[in-house]
Amino acid sequence: LLCCLGLAALLGPCLACPSACSCSIKKNGRLLAECAYKDLQEVPEGLSSNVTILTLSANRIGWLGQGSFIEVPEVQSLWLGYNQIGAVEPGAFALLVHLKNLDLSHNKIADFPWQDLRNLSGLQILKMNNNRLAGLPRDAFHSLKDLRSLWLNDNELTTLAEGTFDNLPSLSQLQIFNNPFNCSCKVFWLKKWTENTSVSITKGGSTLCVAPGRLKGRAVTDIPDHHCVAPSVQLTYLSNLDNTVMYDGLTLTLHCSVAGSPPPEIRWKIQTSSRRVEISGPNVARDGNVKQSQERFLVFKNGTMAIPNFSKEDEGIYTCLAVNDVGTRDVSVNVALAGSENPAEDLLRDDPQASHLGGQSCYKGDEMDSSSAGEKLVIVYHMPRESKSRAGGAVPQVYLGTLLLALGIVL
């Protein structure tokens, strides 16, 4: 009798089970808590800490709190499909580090604490299909190195960020059908990814475009290549001073020409010795008024930037970026300014980087050739001897001489 009582005392904690559930030990030693189809409105209390399989499917659970699974830290399989879950608090799953299978399908989840997945590196199956998910962070699944099967079908996803399925070396099955994809060029990467991946993309339904109108009803994997073209960019030097007297200083003008589909936006980055500036769009209106505070750099809608009274303080790297939904391209030039009595000779002597160009000049409309990567644009003007005597004046009179070119392009 004492032996039986002792055995019962040992097994009792292992078999602790809420009244609404039935618990048993499987042949493999895992403890199963079967709580499906019990009309439960919340996760029941009183579960054993040794539970490794917890079935809560087909109940009326509508909310998961931070402590909903605090009693079952060893759980490996958690089935929550066919409930009414609409709210999930951050931290609800964060401590379930042994979890391998998680089923949240057929619920009402629109917002999910994706950061909880960072701790679930052993997760192998994740079912989130038939919910109300309208978007995913790009890095939602990046820590799931063992994930083999991912179900996202029958949600409200209109787009997916490029790289969503990167860093998933074990992924072998993906379901994303029956989502209302907007087939702008933001999802063009998905077409290319499906063409090259070894992942099996289940076609239980169709992965179709809902928008734009010209692609409605067409498969995402069938978006025409010409519909989306990555940006290309060229940078051109322009000058309004050709052998003229420079009473008001040099105006440096750079023109950025871009192409692509959809038409790329033009952005500028400027890095000098004293500051860094980023300009995300034109700051000069049609009437000539400057919209933003960066009046030192005038950016026009046609891709032109002008820097009036360009001086030594403005020397630095000027970068034009072309950005569209397919990608980003940039081109840079490192601009330096030099004045000399004999500009050609002085430049060749003082700037070995420019010497191999043999006095090549840069005139209005010259393009920055990418073959000159890593070099720089040196603007050299001619300062006559007589102007030196007036160098202390407010506005020195100088003459634009030779513009010698050592281009700095970074693609």
Side-chain angles (χ1 to χ4, degrees):
L1 180 59
L2 289 174
C3 290
C4 291
L5 289 173
L7 185 60
L10 290 173
L11 293 177
C14 296
L15 297 175
C17 195
S19 59
C21 307
S22 60
C23 302
S24 60
I25 299 177
K26 308 296 287 183
K27 290 182 179 179
N28 57 10
R30 293 181 179 179
L31 182 58
L32 167 66
E34 176 61 70
C35 311
Y37 297 94
K38 301 298 182 181
D39 210 31
L40 297 173
Q41 297 186 31
E42 60 184 13
V43 178
E45 295 181 357
L47 289 163
S48 170
S49 61
N50 293 350
V51 166
T52 54
I53 304 171
L54 177 56
T55 303
L56 290 162
S57 305
N59 282 292
R60 293 194 296 124
I61 300 172
W63 171 83
L64 296 175
Q66 189 172 2
S68 292
F69 305 105
I70 196 169
E71 293 183 336
V72 288
E74 303 295 323
V75 69
Q76 297 180 18
S77 297
L78 180 56
W79 310 110
L80 289 157
Y82 292 93
N83 275 280
Q84 299 175 18
I85 301 169
V88 183
E89 280 190 357
F93 300 102
L95 300 179
L96 305 182
V97 295
H98 301 287
L99 204 57
K100 294 182 178 180
N101 306 303
L102 177 58
D103 181 8
L104 287 162
S105 63
H106 296 272
N107 279 287
K108 301 177 181 179
I109 300 172
D111 190 18
F112 185 79
W114 300 103
Q115 65 272 20
D116 280 17
L117 299 183
R118 295 173 187 168
N119 294 334
L120 312 185
S121 58
L123 198 63
Q124 297 178 7
I125 298 175
L126 177 58
K127 295 184 177 182
M128 301 195 73
N129 53 292
N130 295 87
N131 275 283
R132 298 176 181 176
L133 298 173
L136 303 171
R138 182 182 182 275
D139 60 350
F141 311 115
H142 277 198
S143 63
L144 307 182
K145 305 301 183 184
D146 293 336
L147 190 66
R148 295 186 286 106
S149 181
L150 177 60
W151 300 36
L152 295 168
N153 55 286
D154 293 276
N155 274 284
E156 298 177 8
L157 299 171
T158 58
T159 189
L160 289 170
E162 184 172 0
T164 297
F165 307 120
D166 290 352
N167 301 316
L168 297 176
S170 302
L171 189 65
S172 60
Q173 182 189 30
L174 174 66
Q175 297 191 176
I176 54 173
F177 57 85
N178 289 347
N179 278 289
F181 283 112
N182 181 345
C183 292
S184 70
C185 292
K186 290 182 179 179
V187 297
F188 186 66
W189 71 270
L190 186 58
K191 171 188 174 175
K192 295 299 183 182
W193 183 81
T194 58
E195 291 174 351
N196 297 300
T197 185
S198 60
V199 176
S200 173
I201 302 175
T202 306
K203 301 183 183 297
S206 297
T207 309
L208 301 179
C209 305
V210 171
R214 64 184 180 278
L215 295 177
K216 186 175 182 179
R218 196 164 182 169
V220 173
T221 55
D222 202 23
I223 299 174
D225 286 348
H226 64 80
H227 179 63
C228 301
V229 180
S232 61
V233 58
Q234 289 182 330
L235 195 57
T236 307
Y237 170 80
L238 302 173
S239 173
N240 64 344
L241 295 170
D242 288 323
N243 298 317
T244 59
V245 179
M246 294 168 50
Y247 291 103
D248 298 323
L250 170 69
T251 296
L252 175 65
T253 306
L254 299 172
H255 181 72
C256 189
S257 301
V258 300
S261 180
E265 297 178 2
I266 296 177
R267 303 173 187 172
W268 290 91
K269 290 185 179 181
I270 302 127
Q271 181 175 347
T272 68
S273 59
S274 60
R275 58 182 162 178
R276 291 185 179 184
V277 178
E278 294 190 14
I279 305 174
S280 59
N283 61 11
V284 180
R286 289 184 177 181
D287 58 7
N289 292 325
V290 180
K291 300 178 185 177
Q292 302 172 5
S293 60
Q294 297 295 342
E295 297 182 3
R296 187 74 191 88
F297 307 101
L298 305 179
V299 177
F300 299 85
K301 188 176 182 179
N302 68 350
T304 296
M305 173 190 286
I307 305 98
N309 299 312
F310 189 86
S311 68
K312 296 290 287 185
E313 292 182 356
D314 300 314
E315 291 182 334
I317 299 173
Y318 289 74
T319 302
C320 172
L321 298 95
V323 182
N324 69 7
D325 291 339
V326 186
T328 301
R329 295 292 185 275
D330 64 79
V331 58
S332 299
V333 61
N334 187 350
V335 184
L337 184 64
S340 171
E341 292 181 16
N342 194 347
E345 289 183 6
D346 286 355
L347 178 64
L348 296 177
R349 181 176 66 249
D350 298 336
D351 192 342
Q353 202 171 28
S355 62
H356 74 280
L357 293 172
Q360 178 177 323
S361 298
C362 176
Y363 297 104
K364 183 175 181 179
D366 281 0
E367 293 181 356
M368 303 305 177
D369 184 2
S370 61
S371 64
S372 304
E375 299 171 357
K376 63 184 178 182
L377 171 66
V378 180
I379 302 172
V380 183
Y381 58 88
H382 182 207
M383 179 178 288
R385 286 187 179 87
E386 59 268 22
S387 67
K388 281 189 173 184
S389 62
R390 299 194 299 270
V395 183
Q397 177 179 335
V398 297
Y399 296 86
L400 185 66
T402 309
L403 296 180
L404 292 182
L405 183 63
L407 295 170
I409 306 299
V410 180
L411 291 178

